């Protein structure tokens, strides 16, 4: 049975892993290749490397750091930030990424998803989507809007519709970040996850708000997520990957346990 | 990964050629093979097969563009000769799928080493099939030495090779995602895995070390064997 993946996220700025609340007030958390190697040993199923400075600064990926990270991982690496073309994607894959994540560039040019999927296959194309709850009347179902440029700007796009469209265009996975929850440690937005997971057949990765092992369980059982992503709780060792997986396993979720992984 | 320290550089390992035809993820395969003690050489042209102990063919994505790249780099004939000579081959993901006659993904004709086709995964609850899944070994093989039955390996694909009934015995291991599919194949010295050992942590490194050692023991170097396939190479 396919295991539900636990994915530490490395938000990288100026070559260092950072973490801030709602994408601001960044705090240094370490060296990307060193953290990647540590998480691989501790049982991470995959890693996401987001160059969060690339899009706002209008530059390309830091390919040398991607390559150093890829060489230390021996587990899959998804790379995002500053990928705006098939050529950018090719460069990221050549540097050792297994998949790329498209965010703002895909919103601006949805055809980019199809072009990347045709060239390298859907399995290598992750569409990342930053969503924020939009005002709705109490008698209405909740709505979410898409934000771009690192969660800064709204573009008048409904998040659930965009997720469905991205999958139709060839995204092989959807990485769904709740900007309302990101950095708040109040748990994933399981309603947002469920709204999307029920409408697509591609895997959905939950992101934004994880604090306790129970949050990861809820993302899967309530939200329907196929993978769960978190950053600061792993960076700061609030909970280990093994602890999270033990809780998931106890809840009946299939997970990959590593013999000898540090709890 | 504490169980697997980097291999000693004192004893030179086998020379493993990684066929680089622009189909992605060369860095991770190069790094993983080096980690387990192989001396990696990238193969980009027909002459690159000289003095190799084994060949690894990686690849992600669709079959048609991959075949076009192999043809453009004039690598199809040397690969078929390598296989026909019974030399050690490991196909990873697309490198496994290319061994079959053709792919339903885009209708491409592929190498035709093993009778069968690459078909879309049936009854899959999610597609692509992405993540760690259990590999059930149908029989013992040096490739899986020291690895547990039903060990987890990392998959990322929507299609998988399906041998014809007459070639069913080439299946070495299976995995289930909705329905069962072939996760590893073996035809004499031709091996293929649908998962990514270079991305499967300690288990994957162990498998690559097994392949590397198995290739090193191969005693067919320099001998021209009866071709595995009746078809003449070069039909592409």
């Amino acid at each position: 049975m396919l295991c539900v993946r636990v994915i530490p996220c490395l938000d990288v700025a100026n070559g260092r892993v950072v973490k801030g609340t709602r994408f601001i007030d960044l705090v240094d958390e370490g060296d990307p290749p060193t953290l990647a190697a540590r998480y691989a040993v501790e049982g991470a199923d995959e890693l996401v490397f987001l160059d969060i400075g690339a899009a706002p600064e209008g530059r390309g990926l830091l390919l040398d750091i991607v390559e150093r990270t890829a060489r230390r991982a021996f587990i899959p690496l998804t790379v995002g930030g500053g990928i705006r073309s098939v050529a950018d994607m090719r460069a990221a894959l050549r540097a050792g990424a297994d998949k790329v994540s498209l965010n703002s560039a895909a919103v601006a040019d949805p055809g980019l998803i199809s072009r990347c999927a045709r060239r390298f296959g859907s399995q290598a194309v992750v569409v990342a989507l930053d969503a924020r709850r939009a005002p709705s009347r109490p008698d209405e179902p909740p709505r979410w809007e898409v934000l771009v440029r690192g969660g800064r700007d709204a573009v008048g796009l409904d998040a659930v519709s965009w997720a469905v469209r991205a999958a139709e265009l060839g995204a092989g996975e959807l990485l769904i970040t709740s900007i309302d929850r990101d950095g708040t440690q109040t748990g994933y937005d399981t309603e947002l996850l469920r709204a999307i997971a029920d409408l697509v057949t591609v895997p959905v990765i939950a992101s934004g708000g994880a604090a306790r092992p129970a949050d990861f369980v809820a993302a899967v059982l309530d939200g329907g997520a196929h993978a769960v992503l978190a950053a600061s709780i792993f960076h700061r060792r609030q909970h280990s990957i093994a602890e999270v997986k033990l809780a998931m396993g106890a809840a009946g979720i299939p997970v990959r346990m590593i013999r000898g992984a540090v709890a | 990964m504490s169980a697997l320290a980097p291999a000693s550089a004192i004893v030179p390992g086998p020379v493993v050629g990684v066929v680089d035809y622009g189909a992605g993820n060369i860095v991770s395969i190069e790094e993983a093979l080096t980690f387990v003690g192989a001396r990696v050489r990238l193969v980009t042209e027909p002459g690159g097969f000289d003095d190799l102990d084994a060949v690894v063919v990686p690849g992600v994505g669709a079959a048609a563009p991959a075949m076009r790249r192999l043809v453009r780099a004039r690598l199809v004939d040397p690969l078929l000769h390598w296989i026909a000579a019974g030399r050690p081959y490991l196909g990873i993901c697309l490198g496994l799928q290319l061994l079959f006659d053709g792919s339903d993904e885009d209708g491409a004709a592929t190498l035709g080493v093993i009778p069968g086709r690459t078909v879309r995964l049936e009854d899959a609850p999610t597609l692509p099939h992405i993540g760690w899944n259990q590999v059930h070994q149908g029989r013992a093989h040096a490739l899986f030495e020291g690895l547990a039955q039903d060990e987890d390996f990392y998959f990322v694909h929507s299609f998988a090779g399906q041998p014809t009934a007459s070639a069913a015995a080439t299946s070495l291991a299976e995995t289930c995602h909705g329905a069962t599919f072939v996760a590893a194949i073996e035809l004499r010295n031709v091996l293929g895995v649908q998962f990514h050992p270079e991305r499967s942590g300690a288990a994957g490194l162990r498998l690559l070390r097994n392949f590397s050692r198995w290739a090193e023991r191969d005693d067919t170097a320099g001998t021209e064997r009866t071709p595995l396939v009746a078809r003449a190479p070069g039909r592409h």
Side-chain angles (χ1 to χ4, degrees):
Chain A
M1 181 175 269
L2 186 60
C3 298
V4 172
R5 288 164 283 157
V6 176
I7 306 176
C9 180
L10 311 175
D11 293 308
V12 179
N14 303 318
R16 300 286 292 177
V17 176
V18 295
K19 190 60 195 173
T21 300
R22 301 182 194 215
F23 289 115
I24 52 173
D25 302 330
L26 303 178
V27 177
D28 189 299
E29 304 279 3
D31 172 54
T34 308
L35 267 178
R38 184 188 118 198
Y39 289 138
V41 171
E42 290 178 1
D45 296 314
E46 200 169 319
L47 293 166
V48 168
F49 177 117
L50 293 180
D51 185 348
I52 62 170
E57 293 163 24
R59 60 163 171 77
L61 264 172
L62 302 167
L63 288 172
D64 59 324
I65 303 171
V66 169
E67 179 165 344
R68 283 198 290 123
T69 306
R71 286 188 185 278
R72 293 287 297 278
F74 299 125
I75 56 171
L77 181 67
T78 298
V79 172
I83 294 171
R84 300 179 191 87
S85 65
V86 171
D88 289 343
M89 175 168 180
R90 181 172 193 278
L93 295 182
R94 292 296 289 182
D98 299 281
K99 302 184 258 189
V100 300
S101 159
L102 306 174
N103 192 330
S104 305
V107 172
D109 172 18
L112 177 63
I113 301 170
S114 320
R115 294 197 301 278
C116 287
R118 265 200 308 276
R119 175 65 184 83
F120 298 103
S122 283
Q123 84 293 327
V125 181
V126 181
V127 167
L129 179 167
D130 297 331
R132 179 174 68 190
R133 278 183 187 251
S136 60
R137 291 202 313 269
D139 56 330
E140 283 178 341
R143 292 190 302 118
W144 296 266
E145 59 183 347
V146 173
L147 300 179
V148 295
R149 292 215 320 127
R152 289 174 180 83
D153 304 333
V155 284
L157 202 56
D158 177 71
V160 175
S161 310
W162 170 237
V164 170
R165 172 130 190 262
E168 286 167 357
L169 287 168
E173 274 183 297
L174 299 170
L175 167 51
I176 309 297
T177 300
S178 163
I179 296 299
D180 304 305
R181 302 295 179 90
D182 191 62
T184 64
Q185 305 221 332
T186 52
Y188 297 100
D189 186 341
T190 54
E191 282 187 314
L192 167 66
L193 297 168
R194 176 55 75 184
I196 292 170
D198 279 349
L199 294 178
V200 297
T201 55
V202 300
V204 168
I205 306 168
S207 162
R212 303 161 304 146
D215 297 332
F216 293 80
V217 173
V220 178
L221 299 185
D222 301 338
H226 305 94
V228 283
L229 177 145
S232 46
I233 80 156
F234 295 138
H235 300 335
R236 293 173 191 171
R237 298 180 189 269
Q238 284 168 279
H239 294 284
S240 69
I241 294 163
E243 257 181 279
V244 166
K245 287 190 172 183
L246 280 173
M248 291 169 71
I253 298 167
V255 287
R256 178 181 72 110
M257 296 305 293
I258 292 200
R259 286 182 297 275
V262 243
Chain B
M1 253 147 277
S2 53
L4 267 178
S8 161
I10 299 166
V11 183
V15 181
V16 177
V18 175
V19 179
D20 180 5
Y21 56 107
N25 71 341
I26 294 295
V27 163
S28 53
I29 288 173
E30 183 186 28
E31 189 69 22
L33 284 167
T34 304
F35 189 90
V36 300
R39 288 174 288 168
V40 177
R41 193 190 298 160
L42 297 186
V43 177
T44 56
E45 45 156 40
F49 289 80
D50 298 344
D51 307 321
L52 298 182
D53 293 310
V55 159
V56 171
V57 178
V60 291
M67 285 305 297
R68 275 198 299 274
R69 281 159 197 281
L70 282 173
V71 169
R72 204 179 305 150
R74 293 175 296 126
L75 290 169
V76 172
D77 285 355
L79 265 178
L80 286 171
H81 281 298
W82 179 271
I83 290 168
R87 306 295 311 283
Y89 174 108
L90 176 64
I92 297 176
C93 193
L94 187 60
L96 157 62
Q97 297 175 5
L98 291 178
L99 292 168
F100 291 92
D101 295 318
S103 172
D104 285 355
E105 186 165 10
D106 49 22
T110 47
L111 297 173
V113 172
I114 297 175
R117 291 190 66 75
T118 296
V119 298
R120 182 180 282 273
L121 294 178
E122 280 175 55
D123 301 321
T126 49
L127 268 185
H129 174 226
I130 299 181
W132 298 73
N133 206 334
Q134 296 83 55
V135 171
H136 189 82
Q137 302 158 39
R139 60 174 180 269
H141 190 277
L143 193 62
F144 290 101
E145 196 183 310
L147 289 162
Q149 178 62 289
D150 299 317
E151 181 72 60
D152 292 315
F153 287 92
Y154 185 79
F155 290 83
V156 52
H157 64 124
S158 298
F159 288 77
Q162 188 178 63
T164 58
S166 63
T170 58
S171 173
L172 187 59
E174 291 184 333
T175 293
C176 186
H177 182 59
T180 296
F181 64 90
V182 173
I185 55 127
E186 175 208 10
L187 180 61
R188 297 195 224 170
N189 276 5
V190 176
L191 297 172
V193 290
Q194 180 56 60
F195 50 87
H196 288 270
E198 77 282 7
R199 284 314 198 205
S200 293
L205 291 172
R206 176 65 197 240
L207 185 138
L208 289 173
R209 191 177 72 176
N210 289 345
F211 172 73
S212 174
R213 289 187 175 175
W214 175 79
E216 207 167 21
R217 288 197 299 270
D218 174 60
D219 55 6
T220 57
T223 62
E224 199 71 13
R225 276 192 179 179
T226 316
L228 289 171
V229 274
R231 294 187 198 95
R235 66 202 168 90
H236 296 277

